[in-house]
Amino acid sequence: MVGIIIASHGEFAKGIYQSGSMIFGEQENVQPVTLMPSEGPDDIKAKLEKAIASFDDQDQVLFLVDLWGGTPFNQVNGLFEAHKDKWAIVAGLNLPMLIEAYASRLSMNSAHEIATHIIETAKDGVKVRPEALAPKEDAKAAAVDNSANAGRPGKFEYVLARIDSRLLHGQVATAWSKTVNPTRIIVVSDNVSKDNLRTQMIIQAAPNGVKAHVIPIDQMIKIAKDDKHFGGQKALLLFETPQDALKAIKGGVPLDTLNIGSMAHSVGKVQPNKVLAFDQDDIDTYKELEKMGVKMDVRKVPTDGQENLDHIMDKAEKLLKEQANS
């Protein structure tokens, strides 16, 4: 696997490394390297050499640096000269660039290949609102509907169905979208579809090249039965609650697996782990889904290991009993 070094002036490298881990999950063979105010070129050079030495494969290293021509870049560049046939440097570090680099490591085996690939994503990550402030070429490109296959005979291909109380956020827009490559992200919720503000925020959060929609459950059921307009389309469905997912599946949305990402804590719920909170209705809903043959994939991001939902729910039921008896 290609090793990645994130190098910056000050704590920027550590901060963006932490942000990348929150969105895409913990990563192996990645090291943040910082140049602090009290340090000089030799200090960061020593840090860079130590970071490189920690990698499993030191032949393939990608350096993501904050500023072209700055001290971190200059020291990286000095080390790079002896390895430029395999190493690569990309300056102008931003979070979309880092996440794309993480995703690219899953299918690309060279630093040169990843460096070439991530540049467009880094550029596309720079956006502005109002949209009229964007350069004309960018504004025109943003208006293009990349769902070119819309209208062909056939039904949706469901590439992911996820229960996530946060709906469309960074982990979905980046990590999952890069993994399953949807053409459309559809939030299926009666409540959210009535909220114009949340709907607009979700539509605006869609990654480049993907259309986002917010629709009520009954409409999703009708769409699932439509075999005339959605051929070639790949749908990533987002449900706010397991109850919404159950209603959709009972209505005929053909989902055989549910990815469970997060369930927010609220009054009356217990939290058996960091990201999932349950009340008894949630537990009963999941058990009904399991009886229907729906598989449960408990993961925040694609690189996480799968957790056992039944074990988590057993713990939740014990906590609910303790809560009732207290």
Side-chain angles (χ1 to χ4, degrees):
M1 178 177 283
V2 175
I4 297 176
I5 287 180
I6 309 165
S8 75
H9 296 79
E11 299 282 1
F12 176 46
K14 290 183 178 179
I16 200 168
Y17 169 77
Q18 183 183 53
S19 298
S21 298
M22 289 175 63
I23 294 171
F24 209 85
E26 296 297 329
Q27 298 290 307
E28 296 181 351
N29 295 301
V30 178
Q31 291 287 346
V33 175
T34 60
L35 173 67
M36 302 309 293
S38 61
E39 296 176 331
D42 290 342
D43 296 302
I44 192 168
K45 181 180 179 181
K47 291 181 182 180
L48 289 165
E49 291 173 336
K50 182 178 180 181
I52 295 165
S54 72
F55 291 159
D56 296 334
D57 181 2
Q58 297 168 30
D59 287 334
Q60 293 290 340
V61 182
L62 175 65
F63 297 87
L64 305 179
V65 300
D66 59 350
L67 183 66
W68 187 276
T71 299
F73 170 84
N74 292 337
Q75 293 305 307
V76 167
N77 203 33
L79 297 171
F80 166 79
E81 282 301 317
H83 304 272
K84 56 187 177 183
D85 58 327
K86 292 186 178 180
W87 291 5
I89 309 171
V90 182
L93 172 64
N94 62 19
L95 189 53
M97 176 196 294
L98 179 62
I99 292 167
E100 187 68 22
Y102 287 169
S104 299
R105 292 200 304 171
L106 301 176
S107 59
M108 299 179 185
N109 298 316
S110 79
H112 284 189
E113 188 179 11
I114 295 173
T116 301
H117 177 71
I118 65 177
I119 292 173
E120 283 304 315
T121 298
K123 292 178 180 177
D124 289 341
V126 180
K127 298 183 183 295
V128 62
R129 295 200 70 206
E131 289 79 0
L133 301 179
K136 291 183 180 179
E137 314 83 55
D138 293 346
K140 183 178 179 181
V144 174
D145 182 356
N146 288 317
S147 302
N149 291 323
R152 283 174 41 189
K155 294 185 177 183
F156 270 127
E157 175 187 351
Y158 299 97
V159 294
L160 182 74
R162 178 176 171 93
I163 295 171
D164 192 329
S165 56
R166 295 175 294 172
L167 296 173
L168 181 50
H169 58 97
Q171 290 172 351
V172 175
T174 55
W176 282 107
S177 290
K178 297 295 183 186
T179 301
V180 301
N181 295 313
T183 58
R184 298 180 184 270
I185 295 175
I186 306 174
V187 171
V188 185
S189 170
D190 292 340
N191 290 331
V192 181
S193 65
K194 298 173 185 175
D195 188 328
N196 290 332
L197 178 59
R198 288 187 73 186
T199 295
Q200 288 303 311
M201 291 176 66
I202 288 167
I203 291 172
Q204 290 162 5
N208 288 332
V210 182
K211 297 283 286 185
H213 311 268
V214 180
I215 61 175
I217 299 169
D218 286 344
Q219 186 177 346
M220 186 66 238
I221 292 170
K222 291 178 182 177
I223 289 172
K225 298 174 182 177
D226 187 333
D227 61 1
K228 298 179 180 179
H229 300 102
F230 299 104
Q233 293 293 294
K234 298 180 179 181
L236 188 164
L237 304 188
L238 295 174
F239 298 98
E240 196 171 22
T241 68
Q243 291 80 7
D244 286 350
L246 177 62
K247 182 178 177 181
I249 292 171
K250 279 186 170 181
V253 181
L255 304 175
D256 55 17
T257 302
L258 285 172
N259 168 243
I260 304 169
S262 74
M263 294 174 59
H265 188 272
S266 60
V267 176
K269 293 196 175 191
V270 295
Q271 195 161 348
N273 67 15
K274 291 182 179 179
V275 295
L276 300 179
F278 301 82
D279 57 21
Q280 192 60 51
D281 185 39
D282 295 326
I283 293 170
D284 293 342
T285 300
Y286 279 120
K287 288 182 177 180
E288 184 172 354
L289 285 163
E290 288 181 327
K291 286 181 181 178
M292 294 169 64
V294 179
K295 297 176 183 177
M296 301 299 167
D297 172 20
V298 185
R299 283 185 294 170
K300 291 186 297 181
V301 294
T303 53
D304 284 348
Q306 292 190 30
E307 297 185 56
N308 187 299
L309 180 62
D310 290 335
H311 292 168
I312 296 171
M313 291 195 300
D314 287 345
K315 186 175 180 181
E317 286 190 307
K318 291 178 183 179
L319 291 171
L320 285 168
K321 289 179 181 178
E322 292 174 3
Q323 180 175 272
N325 293 330
S326 62

